[in-house]
Short mmCIF file of all heavy atoms in Angstrom, two decimals:
data_model
loop_
_atom_site.label_atom_id
_atom_site.label_comp_id
_atom_site.label_asym_id
_atom_site.label_seq_id
_atom_site.Cartn_x
_atom_site.Cartn_y
_atom_site.Cartn_z
N PHE A 25 -100.01 50.44 -168.81
CA PHE A 25 -100.81 50.54 -167.59
C PHE A 25 -101.12 49.16 -167.02
O PHE A 25 -101.05 48.94 -165.80
CB PHE A 25 -102.11 51.29 -167.89
CG PHE A 25 -103.03 51.42 -166.71
CD1 PHE A 25 -102.77 52.34 -165.72
CD2 PHE A 25 -104.15 50.61 -166.59
CE1 PHE A 25 -103.61 52.47 -164.62
CE2 PHE A 25 -104.99 50.72 -165.51
CZ PHE A 25 -104.73 51.65 -164.52
N ILE A 26 -101.46 48.23 -167.88
CA ILE A 26 -101.77 46.87 -167.42
C ILE A 26 -100.56 46.25 -166.73
O ILE A 26 -100.66 45.71 -165.62
CB ILE A 26 -102.22 45.99 -168.60
CG1 ILE A 26 -103.58 46.45 -169.12
CG2 ILE A 26 -102.28 44.52 -168.20
CD1 ILE A 26 -104.01 45.75 -170.40
N THR A 27 -99.40 46.30 -167.38
CA THR A 27 -98.23 45.64 -166.81
C THR A 27 -97.74 46.33 -165.55
O THR A 27 -97.25 45.68 -164.62
CB THR A 27 -97.09 45.56 -167.84
OG1 THR A 27 -96.73 46.88 -168.26
CG2 THR A 27 -97.51 44.73 -169.04
N VAL A 28 -97.86 47.66 -165.47
CA VAL A 28 -97.45 48.37 -164.25
C VAL A 28 -98.30 47.93 -163.07
O VAL A 28 -97.79 47.63 -161.98
CB VAL A 28 -97.54 49.89 -164.45
CG1 VAL A 28 -97.41 50.61 -163.10
CG2 VAL A 28 -96.45 50.37 -165.39
N THR A 29 -99.62 47.90 -163.25
CA THR A 29 -100.50 47.50 -162.15
C THR A 29 -100.25 46.04 -161.76
O THR A 29 -100.26 45.71 -160.57
CB THR A 29 -101.98 47.70 -162.52
OG1 THR A 29 -102.25 47.01 -163.75
CG2 THR A 29 -102.30 49.17 -162.69
N LEU A 30 -100.00 45.18 -162.74
CA LEU A 30 -99.74 43.78 -162.43
C LEU A 30 -98.44 43.61 -161.65
O LEU A 30 -98.38 42.88 -160.64
CB LEU A 30 -99.69 42.96 -163.72
CG LEU A 30 -101.02 42.78 -164.47
CD1 LEU A 30 -100.77 42.05 -165.79
CD2 LEU A 30 -102.03 42.01 -163.62
N VAL A 31 -97.37 44.29 -162.08
CA VAL A 31 -96.08 44.17 -161.40
C VAL A 31 -96.17 44.74 -159.98
O VAL A 31 -95.71 44.12 -159.02
CB VAL A 31 -94.97 44.86 -162.20
CG1 VAL A 31 -93.71 45.05 -161.36
CG2 VAL A 31 -94.64 44.06 -163.45
N ALA A 32 -96.75 45.94 -159.85
CA ALA A 32 -96.82 46.57 -158.53
C ALA A 32 -97.66 45.74 -157.56
O ALA A 32 -97.28 45.51 -156.42
CB ALA A 32 -97.39 47.98 -158.66
N HIS A 33 -98.81 45.26 -158.03
CA HIS A 33 -99.68 44.50 -157.14
C HIS A 33 -99.12 43.11 -156.84
O HIS A 33 -99.32 42.57 -155.75
CB HIS A 33 -101.08 44.41 -157.75
CG HIS A 33 -101.80 45.71 -157.74
ND1 HIS A 33 -102.80 46.04 -158.65
CD2 HIS A 33 -101.67 46.80 -156.94
CE1 HIS A 33 -103.24 47.25 -158.39
NE2 HIS A 33 -102.57 47.73 -157.36
N ARG A 34 -98.40 42.53 -157.81
CA ARG A 34 -97.78 41.22 -157.52
C ARG A 34 -96.65 41.37 -156.51
O ARG A 34 -96.54 40.57 -155.57
CB ARG A 34 -97.24 40.60 -158.81
CG ARG A 34 -96.63 39.20 -158.60
CD ARG A 34 -97.65 38.24 -158.02
NE ARG A 34 -97.07 36.99 -157.58
CZ ARG A 34 -97.75 36.02 -156.96
NH1 ARG A 34 -99.04 36.19 -156.71
NH2 ARG A 34 -97.14 34.91 -156.59
N THR A 35 -95.83 42.39 -156.67
CA THR A 35 -94.76 42.63 -155.69
C THR A 35 -95.35 42.94 -154.32
O THR A 35 -94.83 42.51 -153.29
CB THR A 35 -93.87 43.80 -156.15
OG1 THR A 35 -93.42 43.55 -157.49
CG2 THR A 35 -92.66 43.96 -155.25
N LEU A 36 -96.45 43.65 -154.31
CA LEU A 36 -97.14 43.96 -153.06
C LEU A 36 -97.65 42.69 -152.40
O LEU A 36 -97.50 42.50 -151.18
CB LEU A 36 -98.30 44.91 -153.34
CG LEU A 36 -99.10 45.45 -152.16
CD1 LEU A 36 -98.19 46.23 -151.21
CD2 LEU A 36 -100.23 46.35 -152.66
N TYR A 37 -98.22 41.80 -153.19
CA TYR A 37 -98.72 40.55 -152.63
C TYR A 37 -97.58 39.72 -152.04
O TYR A 37 -97.70 39.14 -150.96
CB TYR A 37 -99.45 39.74 -153.71
CG TYR A 37 -99.89 38.38 -153.22
CD1 TYR A 37 -101.03 38.24 -152.45
CD2 TYR A 37 -99.15 37.23 -153.52
CE1 TYR A 37 -101.44 36.99 -151.99
CE2 TYR A 37 -99.54 35.99 -153.06
CZ TYR A 37 -100.69 35.87 -152.30
OH TYR A 37 -101.07 34.65 -151.83
N GLU A 38 -96.46 39.67 -152.74
CA GLU A 38 -95.33 38.89 -152.26
C GLU A 38 -94.71 39.50 -151.00
O GLU A 38 -93.99 38.80 -150.27
CB GLU A 38 -94.27 38.78 -153.37
CG GLU A 38 -94.73 37.93 -154.55
CD GLU A 38 -93.75 37.95 -155.70
OE1 GLU A 38 -92.81 38.78 -155.66
OE2 GLU A 38 -93.92 37.15 -156.65
N ALA A 39 -95.00 40.77 -150.73
CA ALA A 39 -94.49 41.44 -149.53
C ALA A 39 -95.49 41.43 -148.39
O ALA A 39 -95.27 42.07 -147.36
CB ALA A 39 -94.11 42.88 -149.86
N ARG A 40 -96.60 40.68 -148.53
CA ARG A 40 -97.65 40.69 -147.52
C ARG A 40 -97.14 40.07 -146.21
O ARG A 40 -96.26 39.20 -146.22
CB ARG A 40 -98.86 39.92 -148.02
CG ARG A 40 -98.66 38.41 -148.10
CD ARG A 40 -99.72 37.75 -148.96
NE ARG A 40 -99.61 36.29 -148.95
CZ ARG A 40 -98.70 35.60 -149.61
NH1 ARG A 40 -97.79 36.21 -150.34
NH2 ARG A 40 -98.70 34.27 -149.55
N PRO A 41 -97.71 40.47 -145.08
CA PRO A 41 -97.31 39.90 -143.79
C PRO A 41 -98.13 38.66 -143.46
O PRO A 41 -98.95 38.21 -144.26
CB PRO A 41 -97.64 41.03 -142.82
CG PRO A 41 -98.87 41.65 -143.42
CD PRO A 41 -98.68 41.55 -144.92
N ALA A 42 -97.91 38.13 -142.26
CA ALA A 42 -98.72 37.02 -141.79
C ALA A 42 -100.18 37.45 -141.66
O ALA A 42 -100.48 38.64 -141.53
CB ALA A 42 -98.19 36.53 -140.44
N ALA A 43 -101.08 36.49 -141.68
CA ALA A 43 -102.52 36.78 -141.68
C ALA A 43 -102.95 37.58 -140.46
O ALA A 43 -103.92 38.33 -140.51
CB ALA A 43 -103.31 35.48 -141.76
N SER A 44 -102.23 37.45 -139.35
CA SER A 44 -102.61 38.18 -138.15
C SER A 44 -102.42 39.69 -138.31
O SER A 44 -102.96 40.47 -137.53
CB SER A 44 -101.78 37.69 -136.96
OG SER A 44 -100.40 37.81 -137.21
N HIS A 45 -101.67 40.10 -139.31
CA HIS A 45 -101.47 41.53 -139.56
C HIS A 45 -102.14 41.96 -140.87
O HIS A 45 -101.77 42.98 -141.45
CB HIS A 45 -99.96 41.84 -139.64
CG HIS A 45 -99.23 41.57 -138.36
ND1 HIS A 45 -99.37 42.36 -137.25
CD2 HIS A 45 -98.37 40.57 -138.03
CE1 HIS A 45 -98.61 41.87 -136.28
NE2 HIS A 45 -98.00 40.79 -136.72
N LEU A 46 -103.12 41.18 -141.30
CA LEU A 46 -103.72 41.42 -142.61
C LEU A 46 -104.45 42.76 -142.67
O LEU A 46 -104.29 43.52 -143.64
CB LEU A 46 -104.70 40.29 -142.94
CG LEU A 46 -105.24 40.28 -144.37
CD1 LEU A 46 -104.11 40.10 -145.36
CD2 LEU A 46 -106.28 39.19 -144.54
N THR A 47 -105.24 43.10 -141.65
CA THR A 47 -105.97 44.37 -141.71
C THR A 47 -105.02 45.56 -141.68
O THR A 47 -105.29 46.59 -142.29
CB THR A 47 -106.98 44.46 -140.55
OG1 THR A 47 -106.30 44.21 -139.32
CG2 THR A 47 -108.10 43.46 -140.73
N GLU A 48 -103.90 45.43 -140.96
CA GLU A 48 -102.91 46.51 -140.99
C GLU A 48 -102.31 46.64 -142.39
O GLU A 48 -102.08 47.75 -142.88
CB GLU A 48 -101.80 46.25 -139.97
CG GLU A 48 -100.76 47.36 -139.95
CD GLU A 48 -99.57 47.06 -139.06
OE1 GLU A 48 -99.53 45.97 -138.45
OE2 GLU A 48 -98.67 47.92 -138.98
#
């Protein structure tokens, strides 16, 4: 469970958009 949440959230962070689209 720990490693799944870490991998998913890290990949999600690396896929983040520019700050102007942060709330979206």
